[in-house]
C-alpha cells in the first residue's frame, strides 16, 4: 500500500516521470530496405490474416482476370499477377463439356478427357517455349496464364454448341455452330495476342502469333467436330 | 485510480505469460494446419488407388484427384508452410517484366509462432513421401500400359514436386550463413534469396 502510494506520488506530475530500474526496456529497431520491401512487408503481414481472407483475395484476382479477357484492353493485369486457377477451371470445364461424344462411346470418355488436358497444357507449354526461344521477355508462367485464360471464349462457344445440338444436328445447327466457333476462335486469338504481343521483339510477332493461332484452331476444331452420341 | 491500474496491469501480464508457456509446451501449435497439410495429399492418393481398383469412370476420378491436389498445392504453399516451419516461396514480376522467385525463411526467435518439432516432422515427411508414392504410381501405370492414367500421374507429380522443390530452396536459404537479402519485420529476421529457376522459369 505504501509502495503504491509512493508510486502514485512519483507519477503525480508529468515533469517528474521516472522509470523504475527493474523494468527491462528492450526492443528492435530495424529499417526497411526500401519501397519494394515495404510492399513485401504488407504482403508478409498477410501471414496472420485468416485463411478466408487469403481465399477471397485469390478468388477476386481470378475473377478480375476473367473480366479482362472479356474486354481485352491493353492492360497488364493478366501479366503482373499470374495464376493458373483460371486455366485449370477452364480446362476442366471444356473437357467435361466434350464428354459424351460419339467418338468415345465405347470408352466412357477416357481418351477424350485426357486428350483435352494434354492438348491444352502441352500445347501451352510448347507455345511458351517457342516464344521464349524467340527472345520474348514474358516469363514462363505468365504466358501459360494468358494462354489459359484466353480459352474462355472457346469454352463459352462449347457451351453454346451443346445447347444448339440439343435442338438437332442438321445443316442449320452446323451453320450456327460454325459461326459461333469462328467468332470465339477469333476472339481468343485476338485477346491472347493483345496480351502477348508486347513482349516480343519486333519483326518476330508473326512467328509467335502463328502457334497461338494453331493452338486455338485445334481447340476450335475439337469443339466444332463434336457430335453427341445417339 | 493509479493503484487499481497497477494491479490490473500485473494480472494481465500473468495471463499472457501462462498463455505463452502453454503455447510453447504444446506438441502441436497449429493442429488444423497440420491436419490439412496431410489431408488433401493422402485423400488424393487413396482416391487414386480406389479409382484404379474399382475401375470407375475416368473423367470424374481425374477431376477429383486434380482438384484435391490443387487445393493441396495452394494450402501447402500459402498456409501450412509459413505456419508449420516459417518458410515461404513465391514469384514476383518486376516492373520491367522480369520474373523472380523469392525464397524466404524465418529465423527462429523469441515470440515466434512457428511450429514445434513434431509439426516440422509432419511437414517434411508429408512433403517428401507423397511425391515418392506418386513416382511409384508413375512406374506402375507405365508398365501396366494404362496410358490415360499416366497423364493424371504426371500432373500429380508436377504439383507435388513443385512444393517440395520450393520448400527445399527455402530451407537452403535458412541454413545459409550469408543470405542474399535480409530484413526485419517486427523483430523476426527474414532471409530471402531471389532467383531465376533453371534459367527459364
Amino acid at each position: 500500500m505504501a509502495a503504491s502510494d509512493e508510486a502514485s506520488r512519483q507519477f503525480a506530475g508529468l515533469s517528474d516521470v521516472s522509470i523504475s530500474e527493474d523494468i527491462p526496456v528492450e526492443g528492435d529497431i530495424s529499417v526497411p530496405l526500401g519501397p519494394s520491401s515495404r510492399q513485401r512487408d504488407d504482403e508478409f503481414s498477410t501471414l496472420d490474416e485468416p485463411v478466408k481472407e487469403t481465399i477471397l483475395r485469390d478468388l477476386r484476382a481470378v475473377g478480375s482476370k476473367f473480366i479482362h479477357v472479356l474486354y481485352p484492353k491493353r492492360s497488364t493485369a493478366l501479366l503482373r499477377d499470374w495464376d493458373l486457377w483460371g486455366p485449370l477451371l477452364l480446362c476442366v470445364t471444356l473437357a467435361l463439356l466434350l464428354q459424351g461424344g460419339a467418338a468415345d462411346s465405347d470408352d466412357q470418355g477416357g481418351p477424350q478427357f485426357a486428350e483435352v488436358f494434354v492438348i491444352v497444357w502441352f500445347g501451352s507449354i510448347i507455345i511458351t517455349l517457342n516464344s521464349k526461344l524467340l527472345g520474348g521477355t514474358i516469363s514462363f508462367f505468365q504466358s501459360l496464364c494468358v494462354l489459359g485464360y484466353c480459352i474462355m471464349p472457346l469454352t463459352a462457344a462449347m457451351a453454346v454448341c451443346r445447347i444448339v445440338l440439343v435442338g438437332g444436328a442438321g445443316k442449320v445447327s452446323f451453320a450456327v455452330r460454325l459461326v459461333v466457333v469462328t467468332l470465339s476462335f477469333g476472339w481468343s486469338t485476338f485477346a491472347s495476342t493483345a496480351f502477348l504481343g508486347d513482349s516480343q521483339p519486333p519483326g518476330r510477332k508473326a512467328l509467335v502469333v502463328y502457334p497461338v493461332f494453331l493452338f486455338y484452331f485445334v481447340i476450335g476444331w475439337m469443339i466444332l467436330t463434336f457430335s453427341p452420341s445417339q | 485510480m493509479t493503484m487499481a491500474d497497477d494491479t490490473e496491469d500485473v494480472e494481465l501480464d500473468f495471463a499472457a505469460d501462462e498463455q505463452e508457456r502453454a503455447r510453447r509446451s504444446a506438441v502441436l501449435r497449429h493442429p488444423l494446419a497440420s491436419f490439412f497439410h496431410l489431408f488433401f495429399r493422402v485423400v488424393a492418393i487413396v482416391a487414386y488407388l480406389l479409382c484404379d481398383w474399382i475401375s470407375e469412370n475416368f473423367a470424374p476420378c481425374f477431376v477429383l484427384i486434380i482438384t484435391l491436389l490443387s487445393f493441396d498445392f495452394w494450402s501447402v504453399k500459402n498456409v501450412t508452410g509459413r505456419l508449420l516451419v516459417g518458410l515461404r516461396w513465391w514469384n514476383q514480376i518486376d516492373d520491367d517484366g522480369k520474373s523472380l522467385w523469392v525464397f524466404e525463411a524465418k529465423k527462429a526467435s523469441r515470440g515466434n509462432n512457428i511450429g514445434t518439432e513434431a509439426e516440422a516432422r509432419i511437414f517434411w515427411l508429408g512433403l517428401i513421401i507423397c511425391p515418392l508414392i506418386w513416382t511409384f504410381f508413375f512406374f506402375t501405370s507405365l508398365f501396366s500400359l494404362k496410358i490415360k492414367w499416366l497423364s493424371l500421374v504426371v500432373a500429380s507429380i508436377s504439383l507435388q514436386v513443385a512444393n517440395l522443390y520450393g520448400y527445399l530452396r527455402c530451407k537452403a536459404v535458412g541454413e545459409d550463413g550469408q543470405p542474399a537479402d535480409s530484413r526485419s519485420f517486427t523483430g523476426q529476421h527474414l532471409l530471402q534469396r531471389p532467383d531465376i529457376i533453371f534459367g527459364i522459369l
Side-chain angles (χ1 to χ4, degrees), chain B residues 102-116:
Chain B
V102 186
F103 304 100
E104 228 169 38
K106 224 198 267 192
K107 247 202 219 166
S109 62
R110 218 165 47 94
N112 238 345
N113 205 21
I114 307 182
T116 56

Side-chain angles (χ1 to χ4, degrees), chain B residues 66-135:
Chain B
I66 290 292
T67 310
L68 283 170
L69 287 177
S70 308
F71 287 169
D72 165 75
F73 179 85
W74 182 90
S75 59
V76 170
K77 179 173 180 296
N78 290 307
V79 179
T80 65
R82 62 182 200 220
L83 285 181
L84 294 185
V85 284
L87 300 173
R88 195 160 161 236
W89 61 279
W90 72 84
N91 173 265
Q92 67 189 55
I93 314 278
D94 288 340
D95 286 329
D96 42 344
K98 205 158 66 95
S99 135
L100 215 58
W101 296 90
V102 186
F103 304 100
E104 228 169 38
K106 224 198 267 192
K107 247 202 219 166
S109 62
R110 218 165 47 94
N112 238 345
N113 205 21
I114 307 182
T116 56
E117 283 285 321
E119 287 179 336
R121 217 173 301 139
I122 291 177
F123 180 82
W124 288 109
L125 280 181
L127 209 60
I128 294 177
I129 291 185
C130 289
L132 288 177
I133 297 182
W134 281 106
T135 316

